[in-house]
Amino acid sequence: MTKTGLFLTFEGIDGSGKSTQARMLADQLRLQGHEVVLTREPGGSPGAEEIRRLVLEGDPDRWSAETELLLFTAARRDHLERTIEPALAAGKVVICDRFADSTRMYQGLSRGDLRSLVDQLHNLMIGREPDMTLLIDMDPETGLSRAKGRQGTEERFEDFGPDLQKKMRAGFLALADEFSDRFRVVDGNRDVDSVAQDVTDIVQAALR
Ligand code: ADP
Ligand code: TYD
């Protein structure tokens, strides 16, 4: 019998608490005895981490919208081949901080309507969706101030500013309606433990 793992993703605007919640969920599932791979995009494999630097650092206008879409998709393909698919085939739980829904939003919406191109490329080169996606919904101003508080060099997208954050929040909620079979929306405007409790309840129900 082939083992199949569980593929969970976290989505939401910058600073919504995805990384924090993904880490807490991974710790909790490991304590329960699950084998967990905690990973992220862009990145999650050596090649994709190299591409991460190309897309997240430097001038916001560094790439055309189309080139940027190709780079994110190349990173995802490598991540899928080298990290995600082998782990799922071994029956593990894969928790990924952002995946293709982020491309549908950021490359699909932020610089004109490229959603159809995003979908075509996804079907050609990726062709797989998560089993479940947790959308951490968040007030854009709070999200941006949390993200800015981290003081890193990966600020290409944060530099697009609050209007983009607002557009992304609305876009993610629309995406949750579009893919309502796999999306679960969690209110991120609360303390870390309350958000984590909701995440736990949702994932435990899915594991049963
Ligand atoms: P994301 O991965 O969505 O960008 P992070 O998990 O990195 O978000 O969180 C961004 C910042 O906000 C971090 O400094 C983190 O410690 C803090 N943070 C995360 N969740 C909460 C929360 N529920 N309340 C307050 N601060 C939070
Ligand atoms: P991430 O490190 O998750 O940032 P944050 O912790 O601030 O949410 O992702 C970095 C940026 O990459 C984020 O602003 C969204 C962007 N991004 C895309 O534009 N397209 C994609 O396909 C992915 C995965 C991320």
Side-chain angles (χ1 to χ4, degrees):
M1 206 173 76
T2 12
K3 291 204 273 184
T4 45
L6 186 68
F7 183 20
L8 303 173
T9 59
F10 280 87
E11 295 284 359
I13 60 174
D14 292 321
S16 55
K18 298 177 300 297
S19 317
T20 305
Q21 294 300 326
R23 215 166 31 241
M24 289 171 79
L25 178 65
D27 289 346
Q28 192 211 27
L29 293 179
R30 283 181 185 129
L31 279 175
Q32 290 178 353
H34 293 280
E35 276 197 275
V36 177
V37 172
L38 176 61
T39 186
R40 67 164 181 187
E41 289 210 349
S45 63
E49 289 289 333
E50 287 191 39
I51 298 174
R52 179 180 177 101
R53 280 192 289 281
L54 297 176
V55 287
L56 295 193
E57 296 180 18
D59 197 309
D61 297 325
R62 184 176 182 184
W63 307 108
S64 77
E66 290 79 6
T67 308
E68 185 179 287
L69 168 59
L70 288 167
L71 287 167
F72 274 106
T73 307
R76 178 160 308 124
R77 174 76 196 208
D78 191 64
H79 183 211
L80 199 61
E81 287 174 5
R82 315 240 173 175
T83 305
I84 298 175
E85 281 175 344
L88 292 174
K92 297 177 187 174
V93 178
V94 174
I95 301 174
C96 190
D97 186 349
R98 293 192 184 279
F99 191 66
D101 296 313
S102 282
T103 313
R104 292 185 173 105
M105 288 298 98
Y106 290 83
Q107 282 64 52
L109 283 189
S110 66
R111 293 192 277 172
D113 184 3
L114 291 190
R115 176 65 193 277
S116 152
L117 200 58
V118 169
D119 285 342
Q120 289 177 58
L121 199 56
H122 178 81
N123 293 339
L124 263 179
M125 298 313 299
I126 308 297
R128 112 156 260 159
E129 303 296 345
D131 297 310
M132 182 181 278
T133 299
L134 292 129
L135 171 59
I136 312 289
D137 179 49
M138 178 83 222
D139 166 59
E141 300 284 339
T142 317
L144 199 58
S145 72
R146 281 192 199 165
K148 287 275 182 198
R150 284 183 305 218
Q151 294 286 348
T153 52
E154 295 181 339
E155 296 201 333
R156 236 189 104 228
F157 286 84
E158 286 153 22
D159 286 347
F160 282 116
D163 286 347
L164 178 72
Q165 288 273 83
K166 283 197 197 97
K167 198 168 168 183
M168 292 297 111
R169 184 210 196 167
F172 272 121
L173 288 169
L175 211 56
D177 277 341
E178 185 180 340
F179 297 104
S180 57
D181 51 334
R182 69 175 163 87
F183 262 89
R184 300 291 179 273
V185 182
V186 176
D187 177 9
N189 300 283
R190 296 173 295 158
D191 63 277
V192 174
D193 290 330
S194 304
V195 180
Q197 187 58 54
D198 279 11
V199 169
T200 299
D201 291 347
I202 290 167
V203 173
Q204 292 302 335
L207 284 167
R208 281 195 297 270

